[in-house]
Amino acid sequence: MILGLFGAPKADMVGTEQMSADPWALLPAASTNAQAIDTLYVFITALCGISMLGVVGAQVYFMWKYKKPANGHRKTSPITHNGRLEFIWSAIPALFMIVLFAWGEIGFVEQFSPPPDAINVRVTGQKWDWTVEYPDYPGAVLSSSSAVPTEEQQKQLQAAGEWGEDIIDRKPTLIVPTGVPVRLTLTSKDVIHSFYIPVFRLKRDAVPGRYTTYWFEATQEGEFPLFCAEYCGDEHSSMIGYVKVVSAEQFEVELKEATKLEQKDAESLADFGKRVFDRGGCKTCHNIDNDEAKTGPSLKGIWGRSEQLTDGSTITADDNYIRESVLDPNAKIVSGFSPQMPSFAGRFNDEHITALIEYLKTLK
Amino acid sequence: MAHHPAHADHAPEPDYIRAKKGIMSWLVTVDHKRLGLMYLASVLFFFLVAGILAIALRTELFTPGQDFMSAQTYNKVFTLHGAIMVFLFIIPSVPAAMGNFLLPLMLGAKDVAFPKLNLLSFYVFSVAAIMFISTLVMGSIDTGWTFYTPYSTATGGAATMAVFAVFVAGFSSILTGVNFVVTVHRMRAPGQTWDRLPLFVWAIYATAVIQVLATPVLAITVLLLGLERIFGVGIFDPALGGDPVLFQHFFWFYSHPAVYIMILPGFGIISELLTVHSRKHIFGYKAIALSSVAIAIISFLVWGHHMFVSGQSELAGIVFSFLTFAVAVPTAIKVFSWVATLYKGSISYTTPMWYGLMFLWTFTIGGLTGLYLGTLSIDVHLHDTYFVVAHFHYVMVGGTVVAFIGGLHHWWGKMTGKMYNEKAGAIGALLVFVGFNGTFLTQFFLGHQGMPRRYYAYLSEYQFLHQISTIGSWILAAGLLWTMIYLLHSLWYGEKATGNYWNATSLEWHTQSPPIEHNFHDTPHVTGSPYDFPEIDKSGATH
Ligand code: HEM
Ligand SMILES: [Cu+2]
Ligand SMILES: [Cu+2]
C-alpha cells in the first residue's frame, strides 16, 4: 500500500475480503468444480516439478562435472545418439500427455454439461458492466455497475470529503446458493467480454450474437470477486464485481433484498431517482458533474436543454424526451453519438422513470 | 568438418563492411550480410522501443491504482508493446537478421538464391515499420496485438493503418521465406548433404516453410478486417451480420504457427551454442532436425487451443487439446537431446554458453507451463490471466530472446570483426537471468490467484506479487542496457576477431571475420558433420 494514495482503483471498492492470505498458496476453492480442478492442478505441478528437476538437475551436474580444464580441452565423448534412450524419453512424456489430455477433457466436458435441475441465470456483458437476470424470479435483475462508482467519481468524492460507506449502494453482481447447481447463459451487447469467477475456477466468453454457458455448484458461503477476463476497452479493468454465495435457505431472501428498488419512507423523489440512476449503471456512459462527453452526452443540465439530433432536427429535453431516451434510446440519437445506449424497458417501471426525471432535473 | 584449399596465396581482400563505401552502397546493397546487419539494427531498435514500453507498463503496475498512466494510455501502450515485439522484433529477429547473415555462410554459398528479392524484402519491411509507427500520430491503437473483433471493428484510432502495416510486414516475411527455402535447396556447398546441415539451417528452413504457408492467412484476415472497418462489410462484427469468433479462427490459424516462427530459429541457435562450447557432437541430430519439421506441420493444427473458452464447440476444444499435447512431445525430445549433448563434454563458460544454459531453464519452464494451458479444464481457469502472460514470456523471452542474445554474442565477432568483453558478458547474463525470472515467475502465481491480463488497476491483494515482478523487470532492463553498452563499446574498443575464434567447424568459420564480400575465396567442400570437433575422442569410439 506504499503508493496506494495515488488513486483508489475501482478494484479496491469491490470490498470483498482477500480471497487468499498467502499469494504462493492455492486459491480457495469454493465450488465442486474448483476442488476437482485443483487435484489436477496439483498433479500437473508435481509432474512439471519433477521434470524440471530432472532437466536442470542433469544440466547442473554436467556443468559441474564436465567443466573445461583450466588449460586446453579434455577429450570429449564421441556419442551422437542412442536409439533406446531416445525411445524412452519420447514414450514416457507421450504417456503422460495422454493422461493429462484425458483428465482435462473429462473435467472440461463436466463444466459445460449442467444438470437439468440447475437454476438458470442470464448474464449479459456490456461496456463496462454486467447485467444478471434470474428468469425464474421475475424482476430479479442485478448489475455490477451499481456496486461501485467509477474511478473519476471516487476521486471527486474523496476530494470533496464525501467518501463514505453509505455513498456506495454496494450490491453483488451475482447471488447464488450453496449446494444447488447454477447454470449461467452468457451473451454480450457490444464486444466480447468474459465472465470469470476465480474461486470457482471458471470463465467463458460472453460473445455478441450468440449464447455460451457454464455451470457450477458453490460449496462455500462468502463474497468473492469476479472479473471481465476478455479485453473490452477503456474500463476493462473496472468491469469487476463480486459474487455472493449464501445458504440455500437464505437465497431467495437475499436475492429479493438485493434487487429491490423502491422509494424509502421520507426519501425525496430526486434522491430515489439518484439510486435508480446508480442502479442503472448510467454513470458508465454519462458524466453528471462536468460537460465532457463519455460514450454518451453529459447529463449535466440536461433538463430543458435543446438537443441537435442526427436527423438534423432539434428537440428540447423535457419529461417525455427523457422517458423515451431511457425506454427506447435509439428512437432519437443525439448528434455526434452512436446508438450505444441499452434500453431499460422492463427493468424500470413508471415510478423509477419519474424519479429518474426528477433527479436529472437537479443536475445543473 | 569441411575441407578447402589453403588460401594463403590470395591477396588480402577487404571485408564486406569495408568493401564498398558510402551510404548508397548500403541502401542498394544486395549482400546478404549487409542486409542482415541492417535488419539487425532495425530489430534491435524496435526491441529497445518496445522494451521501454514494457518497463512503463510494469512500473504502472507497481501499485493497484492509477500511477501515471490512464486506462486508455495503458491499453495503447500494451498494444504497442505486444505488436512491436511480435511483428517488428521477434518475427524478423532471428530469421531475417541472423538468418540472412548466416544462412549463405553456413551453406558455403556466395549469397542467398535471390539477392535482389532479399533487398526488396527489406524495403517492404521498412515500409511496414513506418506505416506501423505512423499509427502513433494517428491516434494510436488500443486493440491488443490480437485485434479481436468486434472490438477492433468499432474502436477509434488508427487500427486500420495498423492492420495494413501487419499485412505489408507479412509480405516481407513471405519473400524472405521463399528465398530461404530455395537457398537451402539449391545453394548448398558440394558434399553438404541434408544430414550435414547445421541444425540452425534446419531450423531456419522449417521456419521459412511455415512463413510461406501461414502468412497468407494472416494477410487475408487483416485484409478482411480492413474491409470491414472501411466499407462496413459484415464479416466479423455481429452488428453487421458477421461472426466475431470466425476472426479468432482466422487469426490463430496464422498466429499459432507464428509462435513457432518465433521459437524454431531460437532452437537452431541453441543447438549451435551448446555443441561448440562443449566440444561435443549434438546428441540426436536426426531427432532434433525432424522434430523441427514435425512441429512445423502439427503447428498448423492446434490454433484452437487459444479458444477453449471462446464459444467454439466443446468437441473442437477436445480435438485441439489432443493435438496440442502432440506438439509437446517433439519439444520435450529436443530439450532432452540438448541436455544429453552436455554429457562428457568440455564445457567453456563463455557468454554464449551462459545464454545457452539459461535457455534450458527458462524455455523448459515455458514449455512445461504450456501443459497446464493445454489441459482443457485447467485452461478454463488460467486463460486470459497472468499465467498466460508468464507462459508466453517464458517462451518468447526465455526462449527466443535468450537464444537470440546468445547467438548475437556467438557470432558478434563474425559479424562485426570485434570481440566483446567476456566478463561484462557474464555479468549481463546474470542480470538478465535474475531479472527475467523475477519478472515472470511471480506471474504464474498471480495467474493462478485469478489476476486477469490487460488490467491497468487491480485488487490490492495482488500487489505483493506485482511488486516483485516490477522490480524484476527493472533488473532485467538493467541487464539488457548493460549488454547494449558493452556490445556498442566493443565496436570501437573491442579486440579484433580472428576467423575462427571459437575453433568451430561449420562453414561460416572457414572464412575471415568479418567475411569478405563474396564470403569464400574458393567454394568449400563438405566432408562431414558440422559437429565433428577435434576434441572428440575417436580412439575407442563406441555408442
Ligand atoms: C523485456 C522484457 C519484457 C517485459 C518486462 C514485458 C512486459 C509485458 C507486460 C507488462 C505486458 C502487459 C500484460 C498485460 O497487461 O496483460 C506485456 C504484454 C505482452 N508482451 Fe511483453 N514484456 C517483455 C518482453 C516481451 C517480448 C520480448 C515479447 C516478444 C514477443 C513480448 C510480447 C508481449 C505480448 C505479445 C504481449 C501481449 C500484448 C497484448 O496483450 O496485446 N514481450 N509484456
Ligand atoms: Cu473486459
Ligand atoms: Cu498457440
Side-chain angles (χ1 to χ4, degrees), chain A residues 1 3 11 19 25 37 45 59 63 66 68 73-74 76-77 80 151 196 203 205 228 231 233 236-237, chain B residues 63 142 151 279 284 309 344-347 349 361 372 377 380-381 383 449 454-456 459 461 463 535 537:
Chain A
M1 286 272 90
L3 291 171
M19 283 183 280
I37 298 254
T45 305
Q59 181 202 346
M63 282 168 66
Y66 304 118
K68 161 186 159 350
H73 276 288
R74 78 162 65 78
T76 64
S77 159
T80 59
E151 186 156 337
Y196 176 33
K203 73 165 70 65
D205 287 0
C228 173
Y231 174 69
H236 171 56
S237 353
Chain B
T63 70
D142 69 344
Y151 185 78
R279 319 307 297 163
V309 302
K344 289 197 175 168
S346 181
I347 299 171
Y349 291 113
W361 288 58
Y372 291 82
S377 58
V380 169
H381 173 47
H383 179 77
Q449 297 281 322
R454 297 173 170 178
Y455 269 35
Y456 90 113
L459 295 186
E461 67 176 289
Q463 182 173 24
E535 290 80 2
D537 184 4

Short mmCIF file of all heavy atoms in Angstrom, two decimals, chain A residues 1 3 11 19 25 37 45 59 63 66 68 73-74 76-77 80 151 196 203 205 228 231 233 236-237, chain B residues 63 142 151 279 284 309 344-347 349 361 372 377 380-381 383 449 454-456 459 461 463 535 537:
data_model
loop_
_atom_site.label_atom_id
_atom_site.label_comp_id
_atom_site.label_asym_id
_atom_site.label_seq_id
_atom_site.Cartn_x
_atom_site.Cartn_y
_atom_site.Cartn_z
N MET A 1 0.83 -1.22 0.00
CA MET A 1 0.00 0.00 0.00
C MET A 1 0.85 1.25 0.00
O MET A 1 0.38 2.34 0.29
CB MET A 1 -0.89 0.02 1.25
CG MET A 1 -2.03 -0.94 1.20
SD MET A 1 -3.53 -0.27 0.45
CE MET A 1 -3.38 -0.66 -1.24
N LEU A 3 2.15 3.16 -2.27
CA LEU A 3 1.76 4.29 -3.12
C LEU A 3 0.26 4.30 -3.35
O LEU A 3 -0.24 4.92 -4.27
CB LEU A 3 2.49 4.20 -4.46
CG LEU A 3 4.00 4.45 -4.37
CD1 LEU A 3 4.66 4.13 -5.69
CD2 LEU A 3 4.25 5.90 -4.00
N ALA A 11 -11.05 -1.26 -8.37
CA ALA A 11 -10.81 -2.60 -7.88
C ALA A 11 -10.95 -2.69 -6.36
O ALA A 11 -11.56 -3.61 -5.84
CB ALA A 11 -9.41 -3.05 -8.30
N MET A 19 -9.15 -13.03 -1.18
CA MET A 19 -9.50 -14.41 -1.47
C MET A 19 -8.55 -15.34 -0.74
O MET A 19 -8.91 -16.37 -0.21
CB MET A 19 -9.42 -14.67 -2.98
CG MET A 19 -10.60 -14.13 -3.73
SD MET A 19 -10.51 -14.54 -5.48
CE MET A 19 -9.36 -13.33 -6.08
N ALA A 25 0.09 -19.72 -2.19
CA ALA A 25 -0.70 -20.94 -1.98
C ALA A 25 -1.80 -21.06 -3.02
O ALA A 25 -2.03 -20.16 -3.81
CB ALA A 25 -1.30 -20.92 -0.58
N ILE A 37 -10.68 -29.41 -10.10
CA ILE A 37 -9.60 -28.85 -10.89
C ILE A 37 -8.32 -28.78 -10.09
O ILE A 37 -7.23 -29.02 -10.61
CB ILE A 37 -9.96 -27.41 -11.31
CG1 ILE A 37 -11.19 -27.43 -12.17
CG2 ILE A 37 -8.81 -26.71 -11.95
CD1 ILE A 37 -10.94 -27.19 -13.57
N THR A 45 1.43 -29.87 -11.40
CA THR A 45 2.53 -29.16 -10.77
C THR A 45 3.60 -30.15 -10.31
O THR A 45 4.80 -29.91 -10.50
CB THR A 45 2.02 -28.30 -9.60
OG1 THR A 45 0.98 -27.46 -10.10
CG2 THR A 45 3.12 -27.44 -9.02
N GLN A 59 21.48 -31.08 -16.03
CA GLN A 59 22.27 -30.00 -16.63
C GLN A 59 23.32 -29.46 -15.66
O GLN A 59 24.50 -29.34 -16.01
CB GLN A 59 21.32 -28.87 -17.06
CG GLN A 59 22.04 -27.72 -17.73
CD GLN A 59 21.23 -26.44 -17.68
OE1 GLN A 59 20.04 -26.46 -17.37
NE2 GLN A 59 21.87 -25.34 -17.95
N MET A 63 27.30 -29.54 -15.95
CA MET A 63 28.05 -28.28 -15.96
C MET A 63 29.22 -28.34 -14.98
O MET A 63 30.29 -27.80 -15.24
CB MET A 63 27.13 -27.11 -15.58
CG MET A 63 26.21 -26.64 -16.70
SD MET A 63 24.95 -25.51 -16.08
CE MET A 63 25.94 -24.12 -15.57
N TYR A 66 31.68 -31.66 -16.14
CA TYR A 66 32.40 -31.60 -17.42
C TYR A 66 32.89 -30.22 -17.77
O TYR A 66 32.98 -29.85 -18.93
CB TYR A 66 31.51 -32.18 -18.55
CG TYR A 66 31.05 -33.57 -18.25
CD1 TYR A 66 29.70 -33.88 -18.12
CD2 TYR A 66 31.99 -34.58 -18.05
CE1 TYR A 66 29.28 -35.15 -17.81
CE2 TYR A 66 31.58 -35.88 -17.72
CZ TYR A 66 30.23 -36.15 -17.60
OH TYR A 66 29.84 -37.42 -17.28
N LYS A 68 35.34 -27.41 -18.57
CA LYS A 68 36.61 -27.46 -19.30
C LYS A 68 37.78 -27.29 -18.33
O LYS A 68 37.73 -26.46 -17.42
CB LYS A 68 36.58 -26.33 -20.32
CG LYS A 68 37.89 -25.88 -20.90
CD LYS A 68 37.59 -24.66 -21.75
CE LYS A 68 38.74 -23.75 -22.03
NZ LYS A 68 39.99 -23.87 -21.38
N HIS A 73 41.52 -28.45 -23.69
CA HIS A 73 40.26 -29.17 -23.55
C HIS A 73 40.56 -30.60 -23.20
O HIS A 73 41.62 -31.13 -23.55
CB HIS A 73 39.50 -29.14 -24.88
CG HIS A 73 38.71 -27.89 -25.06
ND1 HIS A 73 37.58 -27.60 -24.34
CD2 HIS A 73 38.89 -26.83 -25.89
CE1 HIS A 73 37.08 -26.44 -24.73
NE2 HIS A 73 37.87 -25.93 -25.66
N ARG A 74 39.61 -31.25 -22.52
CA ARG A 74 39.75 -32.69 -22.38
C ARG A 74 39.15 -33.36 -23.61
O ARG A 74 38.47 -32.72 -24.38
CB ARG A 74 39.08 -33.18 -21.11
CG ARG A 74 37.57 -33.30 -21.21
CD ARG A 74 37.00 -34.17 -20.12
NE ARG A 74 37.18 -33.57 -18.80
CZ ARG A 74 36.43 -32.58 -18.32
NH1 ARG A 74 35.46 -32.09 -19.05
NH2 ARG A 74 36.65 -32.08 -17.13
N THR A 76 36.47 -35.38 -25.52
CA THR A 76 35.04 -35.50 -25.23
C THR A 76 34.48 -36.77 -25.85
O THR A 76 35.09 -37.36 -26.73
CB THR A 76 34.26 -34.28 -25.76
OG1 THR A 76 34.38 -34.25 -27.19
CG2 THR A 76 34.80 -32.99 -25.17
N SER A 77 33.29 -37.13 -25.37
CA SER A 77 32.69 -38.40 -25.81
C SER A 77 32.25 -38.32 -27.26
O SER A 77 31.70 -37.33 -27.70
CB SER A 77 31.48 -38.70 -24.92
OG SER A 77 30.63 -39.60 -25.56
N THR A 80 26.82 -39.87 -30.40
CA THR A 80 25.99 -38.98 -31.24
C THR A 80 24.51 -39.25 -31.07
O THR A 80 23.68 -38.39 -31.36
CB THR A 80 26.32 -39.15 -32.73
OG1 THR A 80 26.08 -40.51 -33.09
CG2 THR A 80 27.75 -38.76 -33.03
N GLU A 151 -13.97 5.36 -11.20
CA GLU A 151 -12.76 5.90 -10.60
C GLU A 151 -12.79 7.42 -10.51
O GLU A 151 -12.45 8.01 -9.48
CB GLU A 151 -11.58 5.44 -11.42
CG GLU A 151 -10.29 5.82 -10.80
CD GLU A 151 -9.20 4.89 -11.29
OE1 GLU A 151 -9.54 3.77 -11.72
OE2 GLU A 151 -8.05 5.29 -11.23
N TYR A 196 -15.62 -14.25 -15.43
CA TYR A 196 -14.60 -15.06 -14.77
C TYR A 196 -14.75 -15.01 -13.26
O TYR A 196 -14.70 -13.94 -12.67
CB TYR A 196 -13.22 -14.54 -15.19
CG TYR A 196 -12.03 -15.22 -14.53
CD1 TYR A 196 -12.06 -16.57 -14.18
CD2 TYR A 196 -10.86 -14.51 -14.30
CE1 TYR A 196 -10.97 -17.17 -13.59
CE2 TYR A 196 -9.76 -15.11 -13.72
CZ TYR A 196 -9.82 -16.44 -13.37
OH TYR A 196 -8.72 -17.04 -12.78
N LYS A 203 -14.53 -19.65 -16.34
CA LYS A 203 -14.83 -18.47 -17.14
C LYS A 203 -15.33 -18.93 -18.48
O LYS A 203 -15.11 -20.07 -18.90
CB LYS A 203 -13.58 -17.60 -17.31
CG LYS A 203 -12.53 -18.16 -18.27
CD LYS A 203 -11.52 -17.12 -18.68
CE LYS A 203 -10.59 -16.69 -17.58
NZ LYS A 203 -9.69 -17.73 -17.08
N ASP A 205 -16.33 -16.86 -22.49
CA ASP A 205 -16.53 -15.58 -23.17
C ASP A 205 -18.01 -15.29 -23.34
O ASP A 205 -18.81 -16.20 -23.60
CB ASP A 205 -15.86 -15.60 -24.55
CG ASP A 205 -14.34 -15.52 -24.45
OD1 ASP A 205 -13.84 -15.44 -23.31
OD2 ASP A 205 -13.67 -15.53 -25.49
N CYS A 228 -14.05 -9.31 -15.56
CA CYS A 228 -14.13 -9.49 -17.01
C CYS A 228 -12.72 -9.88 -17.45
O CYS A 228 -11.75 -9.17 -17.17
CB CYS A 228 -14.54 -8.22 -17.73
SG CYS A 228 -14.42 -8.42 -19.52
N TYR A 231 -10.34 -8.66 -22.88
CA TYR A 231 -10.12 -7.23 -23.06
C TYR A 231 -11.27 -6.58 -23.84
O TYR A 231 -11.64 -7.05 -24.91
CB TYR A 231 -8.80 -7.01 -23.79
CG TYR A 231 -8.56 -5.56 -24.14
CD1 TYR A 231 -8.31 -4.64 -23.14
CD2 TYR A 231 -8.59 -5.13 -25.46
CE1 TYR A 231 -8.11 -3.32 -23.45
CE2 TYR A 231 -8.39 -3.81 -25.77
CZ TYR A 231 -8.15 -2.89 -24.76
OH TYR A 231 -7.97 -1.58 -25.07
N GLY A 233 -11.74 -2.83 -23.79
CA GLY A 233 -11.60 -1.38 -23.97
C GLY A 233 -11.29 -0.64 -22.69
O GLY A 233 -10.84 -1.22 -21.70
N HIS A 236 -11.95 -1.87 -19.07
CA HIS A 236 -11.85 -3.33 -18.88
C HIS A 236 -11.47 -3.67 -17.44
O HIS A 236 -12.06 -4.55 -16.83
CB HIS A 236 -10.82 -3.86 -19.88
CG HIS A 236 -10.43 -5.29 -19.69
ND1 HIS A 236 -11.34 -6.32 -19.67
CD2 HIS A 236 -9.20 -5.86 -19.55
CE1 HIS A 236 -10.68 -7.46 -19.51
NE2 HIS A 236 -9.40 -7.21 -19.42
N SER A 237 -10.50 -2.94 -16.89
CA SER A 237 -10.05 -3.28 -15.53
C SER A 237 -11.07 -2.91 -14.47
O SER A 237 -10.90 -3.26 -13.31
CB SER A 237 -8.71 -2.64 -15.17
OG SER A 237 -8.13 -2.00 -16.24
N THR B 63 1.64 -0.28 -8.26
CA THR B 63 0.59 -0.16 -7.26
C THR B 63 -0.75 -0.54 -7.89
O THR B 63 -0.89 -0.50 -9.10
CB THR B 63 0.44 1.28 -6.74
OG1 THR B 63 -0.10 2.08 -7.80
CG2 THR B 63 1.76 1.85 -6.31
N ASP B 142 -5.62 0.54 -29.70
CA ASP B 142 -5.87 0.00 -28.36
C ASP B 142 -6.56 -1.35 -28.45
O ASP B 142 -7.37 -1.70 -27.61
CB ASP B 142 -6.72 0.98 -27.54
CG ASP B 142 -8.14 1.07 -28.08
OD1 ASP B 142 -8.37 0.63 -29.22
OD2 ASP B 142 -9.01 1.57 -27.35
N TYR B 151 -14.40 -5.75 -31.22
CA TYR B 151 -13.81 -4.55 -30.62
C TYR B 151 -13.01 -3.78 -31.65
O TYR B 151 -13.13 -2.56 -31.77
CB TYR B 151 -12.89 -4.95 -29.44
CG TYR B 151 -12.37 -3.75 -28.71
CD1 TYR B 151 -13.20 -3.07 -27.83
CD2 TYR B 151 -11.10 -3.25 -28.94
CE1 TYR B 151 -12.77 -1.93 -27.19
CE2 TYR B 151 -10.66 -2.11 -28.31
CZ TYR B 151 -11.49 -1.46 -27.43
OH TYR B 151 -11.06 -0.33 -26.81
N ARG B 279 32.23 -28.68 -27.06
CA ARG B 279 33.07 -29.51 -27.93
C ARG B 279 32.48 -30.90 -28.09
O ARG B 279 33.20 -31.90 -28.11
CB ARG B 279 34.51 -29.64 -27.36
CG ARG B 279 35.12 -28.39 -26.78
CD ARG B 279 35.09 -27.23 -27.71
NE ARG B 279 35.86 -27.42 -28.93
CZ ARG B 279 35.70 -26.67 -30.02
NH1 ARG B 279 34.80 -25.70 -30.04
NH2 ARG B 279 36.44 -26.90 -31.08
N GLY B 284 21.57 -36.73 -30.94
CA GLY B 284 20.30 -36.95 -31.64
C GLY B 284 20.04 -35.94 -32.75
O GLY B 284 19.00 -35.30 -32.79
N VAL B 309 -12.29 -21.23 -24.38
CA VAL B 309 -13.45 -20.63 -23.71
C VAL B 309 -14.17 -19.62 -24.59
O VAL B 309 -14.97 -18.83 -24.12
CB VAL B 309 -13.07 -19.96 -22.37
CG1 VAL B 309 -12.42 -20.95 -21.43
CG2 VAL B 309 -12.18 -18.76 -22.60
N LYS B 344 29.65 -35.60 -20.86
CA LYS B 344 31.05 -35.87 -21.21
C LYS B 344 31.59 -34.91 -22.25
O LYS B 344 32.29 -35.29 -23.18
CB LYS B 344 31.23 -37.32 -21.69
CG LYS B 344 31.09 -38.32 -20.55
CD LYS B 344 31.68 -39.66 -20.94
CE LYS B 344 31.64 -40.60 -19.75
NZ LYS B 344 31.91 -41.98 -20.12
N GLY B 345 31.18 -33.65 -22.12
CA GLY B 345 31.75 -32.63 -22.99
C GLY B 345 32.89 -31.93 -22.28
O GLY B 345 33.38 -32.39 -21.25
N SER B 346 33.30 -30.80 -22.85
CA SER B 346 34.33 -29.99 -22.21
C SER B 346 33.80 -28.56 -22.27
O SER B 346 33.97 -27.86 -23.25
CB SER B 346 35.64 -30.14 -22.97
OG SER B 346 36.65 -29.39 -22.34
N ILE B 347 33.10 -28.20 -21.18
CA ILE B 347 32.23 -27.03 -21.25
C ILE B 347 32.98 -25.74 -20.91
O ILE B 347 33.55 -25.61 -19.82
CB ILE B 347 31.04 -27.20 -20.28
CG1 ILE B 347 30.24 -28.43 -20.70
CG2 ILE B 347 30.17 -25.96 -20.26
CD1 ILE B 347 29.17 -28.83 -19.72
N TYR B 349 32.72 -21.75 -20.10
CA TYR B 349 31.68 -20.81 -19.66
C TYR B 349 31.83 -19.46 -20.34
O TYR B 349 32.15 -18.46 -19.72
CB TYR B 349 31.66 -20.73 -18.14
CG TYR B 349 31.14 -22.02 -17.58
CD1 TYR B 349 31.94 -22.87 -16.83
CD2 TYR B 349 29.84 -22.42 -17.87
CE1 TYR B 349 31.46 -24.09 -16.38
CE2 TYR B 349 29.35 -23.64 -17.43
CZ TYR B 349 30.17 -24.46 -16.68
OH TYR B 349 29.69 -25.65 -16.24
N TRP B 361 16.82 -23.65 -18.81
CA TRP B 361 15.93 -23.41 -17.66
C TRP B 361 14.66 -22.70 -18.11
O TRP B 361 13.57 -23.15 -17.85
CB TRP B 361 16.62 -22.52 -16.63
CG TRP B 361 17.72 -23.16 -15.86
CD1 TRP B 361 18.85 -23.74 -16.37
CD2 TRP B 361 17.81 -23.28 -14.44
NE1 TRP B 361 19.64 -24.20 -15.35
CE2 TRP B 361 19.03 -23.93 -14.16
CE3 TRP B 361 17.00 -22.89 -13.38
CZ2 TRP B 361 19.44 -24.20 -12.86
CZ3 TRP B 361 17.41 -23.16 -12.09
CH2 TRP B 361 18.62 -23.82 -11.82
N TYR B 372 -0.13 -26.96 -18.57
CA TYR B 372 -1.31 -26.52 -17.82
C TYR B 372 -2.36 -25.96 -18.79
O TYR B 372 -3.55 -26.21 -18.65
CB TYR B 372 -0.96 -25.38 -16.85
CG TYR B 372 -0.09 -25.74 -15.67
CD1 TYR B 372 1.29 -25.83 -15.79
CD2 TYR B 372 -0.65 -25.92 -14.41
CE1 TYR B 372 2.09 -26.11 -14.69
CE2 TYR B 372 0.14 -26.19 -13.30
CZ TYR B 372 1.51 -26.29 -13.45
OH TYR B 372 2.30 -26.55 -12.37
N SER B 377 -9.56 -28.45 -18.76
CA SER B 377 -10.29 -27.94 -17.61
C SER B 377 -9.47 -26.89 -16.86
O SER B 377 -10.02 -25.98 -16.25
CB SER B 377 -10.70 -29.08 -16.68
OG SER B 377 -9.54 -29.77 -16.25
N VAL B 380 -9.51 -23.37 -18.59
CA VAL B 380 -10.71 -22.57 -18.34
C VAL B 380 -10.44 -21.60 -17.19
O VAL B 380 -10.90 -20.46 -17.21
CB VAL B 380 -11.90 -23.50 -18.04
CG1 VAL B 380 -13.08 -22.71 -17.52
CG2 VAL B 380 -12.26 -24.29 -19.28
N HIS B 381 -9.66 -22.03 -16.22
CA HIS B 381 -9.30 -21.13 -15.12
C HIS B 381 -8.20 -20.15 -15.52
O HIS B 381 -8.28 -18.95 -15.23
CB HIS B 381 -8.86 -21.97 -13.92
CG HIS B 381 -8.31 -21.18 -12.77
ND1 HIS B 381 -8.93 -20.05 -12.27
CD2 HIS B 381 -7.20 -21.35 -12.01
CE1 HIS B 381 -8.22 -19.57 -11.26
NE2 HIS B 381 -7.16 -20.34 -11.09
N HIS B 383 -6.91 -19.21 -18.59
CA HIS B 383 -6.99 -18.44 -19.83
C HIS B 383 -7.17 -16.95 -19.53
O HIS B 383 -7.94 -16.58 -18.66
CB HIS B 383 -8.16 -18.96 -20.66
CG HIS B 383 -8.34 -18.22 -21.95
ND1 HIS B 383 -7.53 -18.44 -23.04
CD2 HIS B 383 -9.19 -17.25 -22.31
CE1 HIS B 383 -7.89 -17.64 -24.02
NE2 HIS B 383 -8.90 -16.89 -23.61
N GLN B 449 -3.90 -17.06 -8.94
CA GLN B 449 -4.74 -16.34 -7.98
C GLN B 449 -5.89 -15.61 -8.67
O GLN B 449 -6.72 -15.00 -8.01
CB GLN B 449 -3.90 -15.32 -7.20
CG GLN B 449 -2.80 -15.93 -6.35
CD GLN B 449 -3.34 -16.49 -5.05
OE1 GLN B 449 -4.23 -15.93 -4.44
NE2 GLN B 449 -2.81 -17.62 -4.62
N ARG B 454 -4.19 -7.65 -19.11
CA ARG B 454 -4.63 -6.39 -19.71
C ARG B 454 -5.42 -5.52 -18.74
O ARG B 454 -6.34 -4.82 -19.13
CB ARG B 454 -5.44 -6.65 -20.99
CG ARG B 454 -4.61 -7.34 -22.07
CD ARG B 454 -5.42 -7.75 -23.26
NE ARG B 454 -4.57 -8.18 -24.37
CZ ARG B 454 -5.02 -8.62 -25.53
NH1 ARG B 454 -6.31 -8.69 -25.76
NH2 ARG B 454 -4.19 -8.98 -26.48
N TYR B 455 -5.08 -5.60 -17.43
CA TYR B 455 -5.67 -4.75 -16.41
C TYR B 455 -4.64 -3.70 -16.01
O TYR B 455 -3.52 -4.06 -15.71
CB TYR B 455 -6.02 -5.57 -15.16
CG TYR B 455 -7.43 -6.14 -15.14
CD1 TYR B 455 -8.03 -6.56 -16.31
CD2 TYR B 455 -8.13 -6.24 -13.95
CE1 TYR B 455 -9.32 -7.08 -16.29
CE2 TYR B 455 -9.43 -6.76 -13.92
CZ TYR B 455 -10.01 -7.18 -15.09
OH TYR B 455 -11.27 -7.70 -15.06
N TYR B 456 -5.04 -2.45 -15.96
CA TYR B 456 -4.09 -1.44 -15.53
C TYR B 456 -4.22 -1.17 -14.04
O TYR B 456 -3.37 -0.55 -13.42
CB TYR B 456 -4.24 -0.14 -16.33
CG TYR B 456 -5.19 0.85 -15.75
CD1 TYR B 456 -4.74 2.07 -15.24
CD2 TYR B 456 -6.54 0.56 -15.68
CE1 TYR B 456 -5.62 2.97 -14.69
CE2 TYR B 456 -7.42 1.45 -15.13
CZ TYR B 456 -6.96 2.66 -14.63
OH TYR B 456 -7.83 3.54 -14.08
N LEU B 459 -6.96 -5.58 -7.81
CA LEU B 459 -7.27 -5.73 -6.39
C LEU B 459 -5.97 -5.66 -5.60
O LEU B 459 -4.96 -6.22 -6.00
CB LEU B 459 -7.90 -7.10 -6.12
CG LEU B 459 -9.27 -7.41 -6.72
CD1 LEU B 459 -9.75 -8.75 -6.17
CD2 LEU B 459 -10.26 -6.34 -6.40
N GLU B 461 -4.97 -7.23 -3.19
CA GLU B 461 -4.36 -8.49 -2.74
C GLU B 461 -3.31 -9.01 -3.72
O GLU B 461 -2.52 -9.88 -3.38
CB GLU B 461 -5.41 -9.56 -2.44
CG GLU B 461 -6.17 -10.06 -3.63
CD GLU B 461 -7.11 -11.20 -3.21
OE1 GLU B 461 -6.63 -12.31 -2.89
OE2 GLU B 461 -8.32 -10.96 -3.19
N GLN B 463 -1.01 -7.08 -4.98
CA GLN B 463 0.07 -6.10 -5.04
C GLN B 463 1.45 -6.69 -4.79
O GLN B 463 2.41 -6.38 -5.49
CB GLN B 463 -0.19 -4.98 -4.04
CG GLN B 463 0.88 -3.92 -4.12
CD GLN B 463 0.55 -2.74 -3.25
OE1 GLN B 463 -0.19 -2.86 -2.28
NE2 GLN B 463 1.09 -1.60 -3.57
N GLU B 535 38.27 -32.19 -30.58
CA GLU B 535 38.44 -32.72 -29.22
C GLU B 535 37.73 -34.05 -29.02
O GLU B 535 37.91 -34.71 -28.01
CB GLU B 535 37.89 -31.73 -28.18
CG GLU B 535 38.72 -30.47 -28.03
CD GLU B 535 38.42 -29.45 -29.12
OE1 GLU B 535 37.54 -29.71 -29.97
OE2 GLU B 535 39.08 -28.39 -29.13
N ASP B 537 36.84 -37.70 -28.84
CA ASP B 537 37.72 -38.86 -28.67
C ASP B 537 37.32 -39.97 -29.63
O ASP B 537 36.36 -40.69 -29.40
CB ASP B 537 37.61 -39.34 -27.21
CG ASP B 537 38.56 -40.48 -26.95
OD1 ASP B 537 39.34 -40.82 -27.87
OD2 ASP B 537 38.53 -41.00 -25.83
#
